[in-house]
Amino acid sequence: MIRKILFTWLAVSSAGYIMAQTPKTKTVKTTGGAKLVEKVVKKGNEIVIPYEKYVLPNGLTVVVHEDHSDPVVHVDVTYHVGSAREEIGKSGFAHFFEHMMFQGSDNVGDDQHFKIVSESGGTLNGSTNRDRTNYYETVPSNQLEKMLWLEADRMGFLLDAVDQRKFENQRSTVKNERGQNYDNRPYGLVSEFTSKNLYPYGHPYSWMTIGYLEDLDRSSVNDLKNFFLRWYGPNNATLTVGGDVKTAEVIRLAQKYYGSIPRGPEVLPVKLAPITLDKNRYASFTDNYARTPQLRIVYPTIAAYHPDEPALDCLAEILGQGNNSYLYQTLVKTENAQSAFSYNSTSELSGEFIISVSPFPNKTLAEMELLVNTALAEFERNGVKEDDLEKFKSSFEANAINRLASVAGKVSQLAAYQTFTGNPNTLSEELKRYRSLTKADVMRVYEKYIKNKNRLVVSVLTQGNEVLAAAPNNYAIDSTQYKPFDYGYKGLKYVKSRDTYDRKKMPGNGPNPVVSVPAFYKSNLANGMKVIGTENTEIPVVTLQVYLKGGKLMEAKNVSEAGLTNLFTNMMEEDTKHYTSEAFSNKLQKLGSSINVGSTTDAIVFSVQSLKKNLDSTLSLLKERMLNPNFTPEAFSRVKKQLQERIVNSRRQGSIVANNVFDRINYGKNHVLGLPSTGTTETINNISMNDVQHYYDNYFGSDDGRVVIVGDIKQAEIMPKLSFLNNLSKTTFDLPSIPPVPEVEKTKIYVVDIPKSAQTEFRVGGVTGLKYDATGEYYRAYLANYNLGA
């Protein structure tokens, strides 16, 4: 992982919000009331997202990207407000309000938003983080006007439709979401605990976006309405539209539906002093669900788009991402820890450089901290190598290109850049910053932000093992220095726009778009493996998947070795005959490529992604991975140990326990589908390295193999490059038949007790016997599920 995706993880300031900066471009022309600020076009092979940017008189920014490759459109409305605009004692409002925005408005009936979008053939959702809340839909292009009408109605005509019943309904939903995603899972509260111990009391990053239950309980409808009036004005929003559209038509419709919505209160920029620690802080808490302790070390750093951000991202990769990293080699390879990694997370006004370690049993967190220090010292002795920079830059460029693969990805990127920098074309600037990175830059940020710098050290402890903490707690949260901030809620008034047309009339559908199914080709390799592919020249990337017969069903021969397939695929990602796993990863990273090995119920799957220019080298590595694995005792011991610890930890997570017990009851304890794909600690103990080798020697081959190709390459180009697959074993075999499942004679209720659990999980159902089909009974059951619970 190089860097968290911009549109998911950017964050905000303390008592106020950073407003979009005014771009340094001149207004070109006026279209009606909308001013064209700038137009960006692609030149040559540069990596850029073409767009036009307009601003309406009420302050709404509109960004339009035309992409006529598919008859779809993605609409995104991003409000520059997240949990950082909440007050002490009123946390969770930004996310709570996201839910309320789907409950209906003046001209859209209760809960009709989902219905209208679904019936239009589209998908929709919303999300909230520290800095922003966004709402988005992907629909056929003839539904564009309807989507703009929907989004505009809740921007300008929401509050009269908000009542106590809806408020209570969504308050319960948000509280349940907190239980599901935070309170009821191992390590679910680590980020919340870290934030409140890293940031000063009252700092907007000192609480999580989900908020606290007690704050949600004390909130009122009027509190929520004031939040909307303060932050949900058009002048604090960006409407981004991309896809099979005409820019002039988008601007016309934006002016029609948004132009009359009154401007909201001004949102002024706020800046805070950087976070500093006066000593190493140690803080610990006991996790009710975790079976393994965890160490988290956090260094306060810099905000997003700071000049030092690329160097810190690179440093995080060198220290703790992949099996070449210092943390992996020092802690995981030596079997002291089951995982150890680092990443750099940036927000609008601050950032965090995070190291996370999960030790193996009988290891203390104090030992883990010492080993982290050893890894840092080793990095300091060796410095940054040219290889490190090459891998990092290649991966960043590949990720930047891959984010442009879909209209939704491009729109989200434009929306994020506009919201946080005022410049939708920030991608080109980002690429320049990362391409110009030097070894000296990386060492400089290490010296500036990490070496001998004070840090927060969080010990996540398991019940009864509090003595494993890295060090005694030495920090207490101080609330006495907090000074309340005026967020501007006084005197807010709800003013509706006046229109010359009837907003209650929902727009109809435009002309049905013509769906052009991509041309595809079929072929066979010499060994009989079937190939299907299609050429897609939108971005210079090739994606390829190889399916080999096998998978979980193979374990039906001997359920006492359940989990063998999963263990086998993990071992297939280790050493080969010509490369150690580290050397293999090193070559992949330099190419900006990925090769992953996984499994399904009936297949082993190799997933490959590569830039077109690096495809030959990537396929050479795929050949090595498939044809020359080298199963070593050292790797087998480590992988097996890691897998067993994951299984143990999963026994405290309600959702996983519910799924596993549900399958076991439905299929029986001796049925292959009644056992988890990971196996159990008991079945994993039964598997030897000889079993892994036997699987490869006897069941890994071309029999009924399939290859799927999508990307910037023609059939005539790709087929010769796949010839190495003809060297796969030609051994034929049948997948084991699975025993029938007895019909349920009567309804029964089973209860599993997880003490002190924050939430209850339910599973209701039974085995149908339906097998997959594209248009028959299985497909109809899939459609019926939309009405039942989707």
Side-chain angles (χ1 to χ4, degrees):
M1 178 177 68
I2 293 180
R3 179 170 183 247
K4 291 188 177 284
I5 296 175
L6 292 168
F7 56 82
T8 346
W9 286 98
L10 292 169
V12 197
S13 80
S14 162
Y17 222 87
I18 294 298
M19 219 170 82
Q21 301 170 4
T22 304
K24 297 178 180 179
T25 51
K26 295 181 180 180
T27 298
V28 179
K29 67 177 181 179
T30 301
T31 305
K35 291 183 178 179
L36 173 61
V37 176
E38 62 181 342
K39 180 175 181 177
V40 171
V41 297
K42 183 176 181 178
K43 299 175 182 178
N45 293 322
E46 66 177 339
I47 302 173
V48 69
I49 309 172
Y51 67 88
E52 291 186 30
K53 172 182 167 181
Y54 294 78
V55 177
L56 303 190
N58 60 6
L60 178 70
T61 299
V62 184
V63 180
V64 185
H65 163 68
E66 291 192 30
D67 179 347
H68 302 289
S69 57
D70 295 301
V72 296
V73 59
H74 187 80
V75 176
D76 178 292
V77 179
T78 297
Y79 295 89
H80 200 160
V81 58
S83 58
R85 275 299 186 178
E86 297 162 356
E87 301 173 83
I88 285 287
K90 295 182 179 180
S91 64
F93 266 38
H95 175 248
F96 192 171
F97 206 89
E98 177 206 321
H99 282 249
M100 294 302 298
M101 287 279 277
F102 289 94
Q103 294 301 292
S105 48
D106 279 3
N107 306 303
V108 180
D110 295 356
D111 300 310
Q112 290 297 295
H113 208 101
F114 284 96
K115 186 174 187 294
I116 290 170
V117 176
S118 296
E119 290 181 349
S120 299
T123 59
L124 73 162
N125 213 329
S127 68
T128 308
N129 63 26
R130 288 171 166 178
D131 311 328
R132 64 100 184 101
T133 306
N134 73 334
Y135 305 88
Y136 50 91
E137 300 88 16
T138 303
V139 293
S141 54
N142 66 329
Q143 304 294 327
L144 169 65
E145 183 171 4
K146 192 180 298 180
M147 296 307 107
L148 296 180
W149 169 79
L150 274 172
E151 288 292 354
D153 207 65
R154 56 184 177 184
M155 179 187 283
F157 301 87
L158 182 87
L159 290 192
D160 284 345
V162 174
D163 57 28
Q164 192 68 34
R165 179 188 61 82
K166 295 178 185 177
F167 177 82
E168 295 298 341
N169 175 284
Q170 290 307 306
R171 173 154 57 185
S172 297
T173 301
V174 172
K175 290 168 70 174
N176 187 64
E177 185 177 335
R178 178 183 166 101
Q180 181 178 353
N181 295 332
Y182 297 89
D183 297 330
N184 204 44
R185 59 173 55 186
Y187 315 113
L189 297 175
V190 178
S191 293
E192 181 176 88
F193 184 82
T194 299
S195 295
K196 68 183 182 181
N197 281 279
L198 179 67
Y199 293 100
Y201 180 85
H203 192 288
Y205 296 167
S206 63
W207 58 82
M208 296 290 287
T209 301
I210 194 68
Y212 295 110
L213 288 178
E214 56 268 29
D215 290 353
L216 293 170
D217 283 336
R218 70 166 64 98
S219 62
S220 69
V221 174
N222 287 334
D223 290 329
L224 212 63
K225 288 183 176 181
N226 275 333
F227 190 86
F228 175 83
L229 290 173
R230 181 64 186 90
W231 308 113
Y232 270 68
N235 50 304
N236 196 38
T238 297
L239 166 64
T240 310
V241 178
D244 190 18
V245 298
K246 295 292 186 182
T247 300
E249 178 66 3
V250 173
I251 297 304
R252 183 186 71 80
L253 294 173
Q255 290 181 118
K256 175 180 178 180
Y257 292 113
Y258 293 88
S260 61
I261 298 174
R263 188 182 186 91
E266 293 305 307
V267 180
L268 301 176
V270 174
K271 292 191 177 182
L272 297 179
I275 300 300
T276 57
L277 307 181
D278 58 357
K279 61 182 178 182
N280 282 341
R281 290 182 186 172
Y282 288 89
S284 64
F285 76 100
T286 301
D287 190 312
N288 183 54
Y289 304 99
R291 291 291 184 93
T292 303
Q294 189 178 90
L295 181 74
R296 177 169 290 199
I297 298 173
V298 185
Y299 296 89
T301 58
I302 43 85
Y305 306 108
H306 187 284
D308 288 343
E309 186 179 21
L312 282 166
D313 287 343
C314 183
L315 176 64
E317 180 174 289
I318 296 169
L319 288 178
Q321 293 172 27
N323 55 14
N324 285 293
S325 70
Y326 285 90
L327 292 175
Y328 184 92
Q329 290 293 318
T330 305
L331 288 99
V332 180
K333 189 82 170 182
T334 58
E335 296 192 23
N336 284 288
Q338 51 185 304
S339 67
F341 58 89
S342 61
Y343 59 96
N344 183 48
S345 175
T346 54
S347 304
E348 261 192 300
L349 293 180
S350 72
E352 302 158 18
F353 192 97
I354 299 171
I355 296 172
S356 180
V357 180
S358 295
F360 276 121
N362 304 317
K363 302 290 183 180
T364 70
L365 296 184
E367 291 175 302
M368 296 302 102
E369 186 179 13
L370 287 174
L371 287 172
V372 168
N373 292 339
T374 299
L376 294 177
E378 183 72 12
F379 162 74
E380 191 175 338
R381 280 193 296 272
N382 294 335
V384 181
K385 301 172 184 176
E386 199 60 45
D387 261 12
D388 296 328
L389 277 185
E390 184 182 350
K391 289 186 298 182
F392 176 74
K393 292 179 180 181
S394 295
S395 296
F396 181 83
E397 181 176 355
N399 288 342
I401 292 172
N402 288 327
R403 287 202 297 269
L404 308 182
S406 69
V407 170
K410 287 182 279 191
V411 167
S412 298
Q413 196 81 75
L414 290 170
Y417 283 141
Q418 169 58 35
T419 300
F420 297 111
T421 72
N423 178 17
N425 195 30
T426 300
L427 176 60
S428 59
E429 297 177 6
E430 290 265 277
L431 287 167
K432 290 176 185 176
R433 288 197 300 152
Y434 281 79
R435 285 168 173 165
S436 63
L437 184 67
T438 67
K439 292 187 290 184
D441 291 330
V442 180
M443 290 307 300
R444 177 179 53 77
V445 297
Y446 171 75
E447 299 274 348
K448 185 174 181 179
Y449 301 106
I450 308 300
K451 182 181 178 181
N452 298 325
K453 297 299 184 291
N454 293 327
R455 61 197 190 186
L456 170 66
V457 181
V458 173
S459 296
V460 185
L461 305 171
T462 58
Q463 292 180 349
N465 292 297
E466 285 74 14
V467 295
L468 296 179
N473 295 344
N474 68 350
Y475 174 72
I477 297 171
D478 180 11
S479 62
T480 62
Q481 304 301 311
Y482 174 68
K483 296 180 180 179
F485 182 84
D486 182 4
Y487 284 83
Y489 286 108
K490 294 179 181 178
L492 296 175
K493 294 181 180 180
Y494 183 31
V495 180
K496 295 184 182 181
S497 65
R498 296 181 179 180
D499 299 297
T500 58
Y501 62 93
D502 184 6
R503 278 191 186 259
K504 291 190 178 299
K505 184 178 180 181
M506 182 173 69
N509 303 333
N512 287 332
V514 176
V515 179
S516 178
V517 178
F520 62 91
Y521 53 85
K522 289 184 176 182
S523 186
N524 289 337
L525 297 178
N527 60 6
M529 290 181 69
K530 296 179 180 179
V531 180
I532 185 171
T534 184
E535 183 183 4
N536 186 327
T537 59
E538 286 186 50
I539 57 175
V541 171
V542 177
T543 300
L544 180 145
Q545 289 189 315
V546 181
Y547 295 81
L548 303 180
K549 186 167 67 176
K552 183 179 178 180
L553 288 182
M554 293 298 295
E555 297 164 14
K557 293 181 176 181
N558 184 4
V559 294
S560 67
E561 293 184 352
L564 171 60
T565 304
N566 183 60
L567 185 53
F568 172 76
T569 57
N570 282 327
M571 288 297 294
M572 287 294 291
E573 294 190 319
E574 293 291 327
D575 296 347
T576 69
K577 291 178 181 176
H578 300 105
Y579 298 104
T580 63
S581 62
E582 290 87 351
F584 193 94
S585 296
N586 194 53
K587 283 188 166 292
L588 267 183
Q589 285 179 287
K590 284 183 180 179
L591 298 170
S593 302
S594 64
I595 299 176
N596 298 309
V597 190
S599 64
T600 65
T601 305
D602 59 1
I604 302 295
V605 185
F606 290 79
S607 301
V608 181
Q609 190 168 65
S610 172
L611 295 176
K612 169 72 178 294
K613 64 182 181 181
N614 295 330
L615 182 60
D616 287 347
S617 298
T618 303
L619 290 180
S620 176
L621 290 172
L622 176 63
K623 175 182 177 180
E624 175 71 13
R625 174 68 81 210
M626 296 181 74
L627 300 180
N628 296 307
N630 183 28
F631 305 130
T632 66
E634 296 79 13
F636 181 76
S637 170
R638 172 173 41 80
V639 169
K640 186 173 178 178
K641 196 173 176 182
Q642 289 172 318
L643 183 57
Q644 286 172 321
E645 287 305 309
R646 292 191 195 108
I647 293 171
V648 168
N649 274 319
S650 70
R651 290 176 176 173
R652 293 290 293 178
Q653 188 164 340
S655 59
I656 295 178
V657 171
N659 289 336
N660 289 345
V661 172
F662 184 73
D663 289 342
R664 184 162 181 161
I665 290 170
N666 273 301
Y667 289 100
K669 64 179 181 180
N670 294 318
H671 194 290
V672 65
L673 298 181
L675 292 163
S677 60
T678 58
T680 67
T681 52
E682 294 78 14
T683 63
I684 293 299
N685 277 332
N686 295 331
I687 301 171
S688 69
M689 197 174 78
N690 285 338
D691 295 319
V692 172
Q693 187 68 55
H694 181 268
Y695 190 106
Y696 182 82
D697 293 340
N698 292 275
Y699 304 119
F700 189 85
S702 61
D703 186 27
D704 199 27
R706 318 288 173 102
V707 184
V708 181
I709 305 144
V710 176
D712 186 15
I713 193 165
K714 297 181 183 299
Q715 179 183 4
E717 289 181 87
I718 189 63
M719 291 303 296
K721 299 178 190 295
L722 299 177
S723 60
F724 70 91
L725 293 173
N726 290 312
N727 296 321
L728 286 167
S729 167
K730 294 178 176 58
T731 303
T732 60
F733 62 93
D734 294 322
L735 290 174
S737 58
I738 58 175
V741 179
E743 291 188 10
V744 177
E745 296 179 357
K746 64 177 181 178
T747 298
K748 295 180 181 179
I749 297 174
Y750 298 83
V751 179
V752 180
D753 179 32
I754 299 180
K756 298 182 181 179
S757 183
Q759 191 183 47
T760 302
E761 295 273 350
F762 291 90
R763 300 292 184 273
V764 181
V767 179
T768 66
L770 287 174
K771 295 181 179 180
Y772 175 80
D773 62 67
T775 58
E777 291 298 311
Y778 176 89
Y779 175 68
R780 291 167 187 160
Y782 169 78
L783 292 180
N785 190 53
Y786 272 89
N787 291 332
L788 292 172

